[in-house]
Amino acid sequence: MYRIIFKPFLDFIVAAILLILLFPLIFISFIFIKLEDPSGPVLFKQKRIGKDSKEFRVFKLRSMKVRTHDKSGKELTDHERMLRFGELFRKLSIDELPQLINILRGEMSFIGPRPLPIIYGPYYNKNENRRHEIKPGISGWAQVNGRNSISWEDKFKLDVEYVERIGLVFDIKIAFLTVYKVFAKSDVVVRGESTNIDFHTYRQEQNNGK
C-alpha cells in the first residue's frame, strides 16, 4: 500500500510545495550559472535508467563549464571546469533541485536508488538489477551510507536492501540522514577526484572472479 499509493502521492505533494518554496533559490542559481558561463545551458540533462529499466532524462543544475579544453588545447580537469559556485551547489545538493520536476513527472521519488546513466544498463547482474524495481531517488540508502566514498558493490547491496525494506519509517530515517549529511557537507567528492573505481572496471573484475 505504501509503495504503490502513499509514497507516490506524498512525493508529488512535497515536490510541488518545495518547488514553489525553493523557486527563488533555483532562479538565483540560474543567474549565477549564466553570468559565469553564458555560452552553456543552465540545466544539465542526461538519460538515466529508471523504474523497470525504462529510460528518462534527469535534470540537474549545471555545475561545470561547457568548455573542456583551454586555449592551448589542453584538456581541463573536472576541478578546473568547476564553476565558482559549482562545488557549493554539489555540497549542499542545490544542483539536485531540478529533479523535483522529475518527481512531479512521476519519473523519480525523493528516496530510492540513485539513477545511473543508461550506458551502465547492460552491465548489471540479476540481483543488482533489482534496484530498478522501484523509482530512482534524489537520495537513498546508499547515499547516506557513504555516497561517493563506498565501492560499487556496497552501493548495489544497499540499493537492493532498500528495495527489500522500503517503508514509511525507513524513508523518514533516510530523509533525516540526508538533511544531516547535506548540512555536514560529508561524503561529497568532485568527479575525477573519487577514490572509487570506475563502474566498468568493477564489472570487469567481477567477471574475472577477482
Side-chain angles (χ1 to χ4, degrees), residues 60 63-64 78-79 82 86-87 90-91 95 146-150 155 185-196:
K60 298 180 72 173
S63 57
M64 302 178 73
D78 286 344
H79 182 74
M82 188 69 64
E87 190 171 349
R90 292 189 179 187
K91 285 184 175 179
D95 63 322
R147 203 171 183 177
N148 295 330
S149 61
I150 59 176
K155 283 182 182 180
K185 300 178 184 178
S186 61
D187 302 328
V188 178
V189 181
V190 176
R191 281 188 299 171
E193 296 180 354
S194 173
T195 57
N196 206 357

Side-chain angles (χ1 to χ4, degrees), residues 2-124:
Y2 170 74
R3 173 174 165 176
I4 298 174
I5 299 177
F6 186 67
K7 183 177 172 70
F9 175 76
L10 189 62
D11 280 336
F12 185 88
I13 296 299
V14 175
I17 294 173
L18 287 179
L19 195 58
I20 294 172
L21 294 178
L22 296 174
F23 180 77
L25 175 59
I26 297 173
F27 183 72
I28 292 172
S29 300
F30 281 7
I31 295 175
F32 284 155
I33 293 170
K34 271 300 180 182
L35 285 177
E36 184 170 356
D37 191 20
S39 63
V42 171
L43 292 177
F44 170 79
K45 303 175 185 179
Q46 187 180 58
K47 288 184 178 180
R48 299 288 177 96
I49 305 173
K51 185 178 182 295
D52 299 325
S53 297
K54 294 180 180 178
E55 295 180 10
F56 75 100
R57 197 175 298 273
V58 73
F59 303 122
K60 298 180 72 173
L61 287 175
R62 182 165 60 89
S63 57
M64 302 178 73
K65 299 174 183 175
V66 174
R67 183 163 50 93
T68 57
H69 294 77
D70 62 18
K71 294 181 180 179
S72 66
K74 178 185 175 183
E75 185 175 0
L76 300 172
T77 65
D78 286 344
H79 182 74
E80 291 171 328
R81 291 181 60 208
M82 188 69 64
L83 297 174
R84 280 195 296 269
F85 292 93
E87 190 171 349
L88 179 64
F89 285 171
R90 292 189 179 187
K91 285 184 175 179
L92 296 179
S93 294
I94 295 174
D95 63 322
E96 309 283 359
L97 292 180
Q99 287 167 44
L100 292 171
I101 298 173
N102 289 118
I103 293 177
L104 291 176
R105 292 170 56 163
E107 299 163 333
M108 291 183 65
S109 175
F110 278 102
I111 308 297
R114 283 297 295 165
L116 293 177
I118 59 174
I119 59 171
Y120 297 151
Y123 297 96
Y124 295 104

Side-chain angles (χ1 to χ4, degrees), residues 122-138:
Y123 297 96
Y124 295 104
N125 62 37
K126 183 177 180 179
N127 188 58
E128 292 167 352
N129 210 40
R130 292 196 60 200
R131 71 196 304 276
H132 302 125
E133 292 177 8
I134 61 175
K135 291 179 184 178
I138 293 180

